[in-house]
Amino acid sequence: MSTKPQVPVLEGWFTEQDGKAFLLGTRCCGCGTYYFPRLSTYCKNPACDSEKFEEVPLSRTGKVWSFTNACYEPPEPFVAAKPFVPYTIAAVELDKEKMIVLGQVVEGVNVSDLKAGMEMELVVATLNEDETTVKTVWKWQPVVTGGAN
Amino acid sequence: MSGDIAILGVGMHPWGKWGKNFVQYGVKAARDALKDAGVNWTDIGFVSGAATMRCGYPGYVAGATFAQALGWQGAEVNTSYAACASGSQALAAARTKILSGACDVALVIGADTTPKGFLAPQKGERPDDPDWVRFRIGITNPTYFALYARRRMEMYGDTQDDFALVKVKNARHGFTNPNARYRKMFSAEEVAASNMVADPLRLMDICATSDGGAALIVSSLEYAKKIGRGDAVKIAAISTVTPTFASAVIEMPDIATDSAAAVQAHSFRAALPKKAYEEAGISPNDVSVAEVYDLSTALELDWMEDLQLCERGTAAQLVRSGATTIGGRIPVNPSGGLACFGEAVPAQALAQVCELTWQLRGQAGERQVANAKVGITANQGLFGHGSSVILKR
């Protein structure tokens, strides 16, 4: 485990409380629509003109909508390890928010390990590391149901 | 009053990586279209250009840039930017001008010179820009195409072999198209042997970016009759609707869909042709041929369903049966599609209209779809832009 300071790659997008990771969103006080990334200006629902929002942590579990991986190194501003290590990506549907959120999947989980409808939970993990800091990001991780298989 | 306008002429500069200035592609396409129309450049009353964001200031004012290159002659100009739908927006501007009676005949034109390699975001640290954010956390364009493709596999049982069939079919269609960049037949085995980019999509499943140019000469029906072209192919609808909140599908460059907690979710792709059918008073059953935006092989299958050419979830069966091949029930991408062209953003939506014009005139040579009467295009780009155009004989 690195002793370098851990810095979120995006300030105010996610947090950890009691070892549990949450995405930080907002909820329109007028119509109840959730926003991630957080929105605090004008509600995007055409039937709502509210400009009031409350800050809410989003559901930290959801179901796989779809998934893929990145076999090639993305262009900047992505910071890739040398040599580049492919990673898995999931689109996860949050039930309460009725919203699909993208994210990398934790290391060690491959495309062949995933299925639509699988339960996933949010964790905070390393995105990339340089000489001074570890940049962290939210990632999806399959919920271990214990005893299955 | 009819909302139709006539397509008098079409022209293209072949797609490729020619490395020339985009203006050269546009001028070549425009001159071909003028010749095809039998209209003099000095008779054009309105020049409607599709902008390119990659070629500096002349690209931002593309309408004027092309008008100057062809020789200032006092026409009015317009430039439209709407990502992949820029060409259709420029066409819609020309239609409005024509139908309002403000002009008889217009040139609609788009061309692009693309950089080598992957499209990358602008430099700098911009956490408020969703396009910057998604690249920073490792979400590229193929990520979105692959998520849609995998969703089909999970929901409908499509396979990677089905996606490969789309590539094989489009490669065969484009093989003899003089404007296509890639004129090479592919076998399903060759597609399967290409490198995986974003599982389940391989290199041969994903389209490249290209240079190219396309142009149309469009006019009022009265003008067409006056010059003896009363039989010209007509534009019956141009849909450039925006999405309706909330988004049902994760759209590039977003990190999340809208929340459908308070309102129903809507598919943007399905909304684009729906509006076009309504505007034209034409049913999906009447369509003889379609040109769709196959940024990936699997996306062609999504489009077939969004265009209501088949039931949701059944597009792969149509491809397997050969129905979407030239000679089949409903040929899709007879030009070879983006698979054979690569994407030249401001020219692409116009290239789709060029192909359908040739098809409806019966001038498509070895690519000809027999007795094509109605054609439809579909495309979608970033930030709520997309289009669908219906042509009829």
Side-chain angles (χ1 to χ4, degrees):
Chain A
M1 187 73 186
S2 172
T3 53
K4 296 172 194 170
Q6 305 212 345
V7 183
V9 67
L10 295 160
E11 188 61 46
W13 283 53
F14 59 94
T15 188
E16 265 185 305
Q17 278 168 14
D18 306 325
K20 288 189 189 286
F22 295 91
L23 294 173
L24 297 172
T26 53
R27 184 172 177 271
C28 172
C29 298
C31 70
T33 295
Y34 291 88
Y35 289 97
F36 179 78
R38 38 190 295 142
L39 181 78
S40 52
T41 49
Y42 314 103
C43 184
K44 294 181 184 175
N45 175 356
C48 176
D49 61 3
S50 171
E51 298 179 12
K52 279 194 179 156
F53 298 84
E54 55 178 341
E55 313 229 330
V56 287
L58 301 186
S59 303
R60 49 180 312 283
T61 60
K63 290 191 167 65
V64 171
W65 183 82
S66 189
F67 50 95
T68 181
N69 61 9
C71 302
Y72 285 88
E73 183 178 324
E76 287 177 23
F78 187 77
V79 182
K82 307 281 179 216
F84 172 70
V85 182
Y87 51 89
T88 305
I89 297 164
V92 174
E93 198 162 14
L94 309 182
D95 189 42
K96 185 176 68 171
E97 293 82 358
K98 293 199 168 32
M99 170 191 274
I100 298 167
V101 181
L102 297 187
Q104 288 191 21
V105 178
V106 292
E107 236 178 279
V109 177
N110 298 314
V111 162
S112 57
D113 300 323
L114 298 175
K115 279 303 290 176
M118 250 175 82
E119 187 83 3
M120 303 286 272
E121 70 174 323
L122 201 78
V123 297
V124 171
T126 299
L127 176 65
N128 65 281
E129 191 172 337
D130 59 26
E131 273 113 56
T132 57
T133 53
V134 172
K135 288 278 168 64
T136 60
V137 73
W138 74 88
K139 290 191 184 181
W140 294 109
Q141 172 174 285
V143 172
V144 181
T145 45
N149 303 330
Chain B
M1 183 187 116
S2 163
D4 296 349
I5 59 168
I7 303 177
L8 300 178
V10 294
M12 289 173 68
H13 183 289
W15 265 226
K17 281 277 182 188
W18 310 111
K20 295 187 210 160
N21 189 298
F22 78 102
V23 182
Q24 288 176 259
Y25 309 137
V27 167
K28 195 268 181 196
R31 294 219 155 120
D32 283 3
L34 286 163
K35 197 172 160 200
D36 185 39
V39 168
N40 287 324
W41 160 237
T42 46
D43 290 336
I44 297 290
F46 185 56
V47 179
S48 194
T52 166
M53 294 296 123
R54 302 195 185 101
C55 302
Y57 206 99
Y60 306 153
V61 294
T65 298
F66 294 126
Q68 185 179 28
L70 288 159
W72 291 127
Q73 41 82 316
E76 291 183 283
V77 296
N78 163 69
T79 299
S80 298
Y81 188 72
C84 301
S86 298
S88 300
Q89 292 265 29
L91 177 58
R95 181 178 68 162
T96 304
K97 201 89 171 166
I98 289 166
L99 292 178
S100 74
C103 118
D104 291 326
V105 57
L107 165 67
V108 185
I109 179 169
D112 205 7
T113 301
T114 48
K116 284 207 160 85
F118 284 111
L119 295 181
Q122 294 170 30
K123 303 270 180 207
E125 181 108 353
R126 298 191 315 284
D128 292 332
D129 175 357
D131 204 39
W132 183 90
V133 167
R134 53 116 175 184
F135 276 106
R136 180 67 187 88
I137 67 170
I139 310 288
T140 62
N141 296 12
T143 303
Y144 296 88
F145 309 149
L147 289 170
Y148 307 152
R150 175 64 67 177
R151 180 72 180 169
R152 293 193 64 85
M153 294 171 75
E154 297 287 301
M155 296 303 287
Y156 313 132
D158 289 12
T159 66
Q160 286 170 294
D161 292 345
D162 293 330
F163 305 152
L165 281 180
V166 174
K167 174 69 176 184
V168 171
K169 186 256 310 171
N170 284 343
R172 186 180 302 159
H173 284 178
F175 185 61
T176 57
N177 188 340
N179 290 312
R181 175 178 173 191
Y182 301 104
R183 275 171 280 166
K184 180 180 180 314
M185 298 278 200
F186 281 97
S187 67
E189 293 72 29
E190 285 170 310
V191 179
S194 68
N195 287 341
M196 191 69 84
V197 174
D199 196 322
L201 298 180
R202 300 176 177 279
L203 199 57
M204 292 293 116
D205 287 299
I206 298 171
C207 91
T209 60
S210 294
D211 298 0
L216 314 173
I217 307 297
V218 289
S219 77
S220 65
L221 300 187
E222 294 72 29
Y223 185 92
K225 276 193 203 108
K226 199 176 80 185
I227 65 163
R229 295 291 306 281
D231 62 345
V233 170
K234 296 171 190 65
I235 292 177
I238 306 169
S239 163
T240 57
V241 292
T242 55
T244 297
F245 185 88
S247 59
V249 171
I250 183 88
E251 303 280 9
M252 194 157 74
D254 295 337
I255 282 298
T257 59
D258 296 326
S259 151
V263 294
Q264 202 195 326
H266 297 268
S267 161
F268 180 38
R269 268 202 312 266
L272 288 160
K274 186 167 178 286
K275 167 74 179 346
Y277 286 127
E278 284 167 12
E279 191 175 292
I282 281 174
S283 140
N285 296 325
D286 300 328
V287 172
S288 344
V289 54
E291 281 281 314
V292 307
Y293 228 57
D294 56 321
L295 292 166
S296 84
T297 50
L299 196 61
E300 178 170 310
L301 305 179
D302 285 329
W303 275 123
M304 286 164 57
E305 293 161 8
D306 291 320
L307 287 168
Q308 302 172 51
L309 302 178
C310 60
E311 294 284 314
R312 185 72 59 190
T314 63
Q317 291 168 34
L318 252 69
V319 174
R320 281 179 224 139
S321 75
T324 60
T325 305
I326 294 169
R329 179 173 73 75
I330 174 71
V332 177
N333 283 332
S335 69
L338 293 176
C340 294
F341 276 75
E343 190 186 20
V345 174
Q348 210 68 45
L350 297 177
Q352 293 181 317
V353 175
C354 289
E355 175 66 15
L356 292 184
T357 303
W358 284 315
Q359 290 289 347
L360 267 57
R361 286 176 178 174
Q363 293 178 345
E366 294 185 53
R367 311 189 305 284
Q368 185 62 47
V369 172
N371 200 27
K373 287 197 174 84
V374 172
I376 187 165
T377 76
N379 79 16
Q380 189 197 341
L382 293 179
F383 295 106
H385 291 112
S387 69
S388 180
V389 177
I390 295 179
L391 283 73
K392 66 181 183 190
R393 234 170 30 194

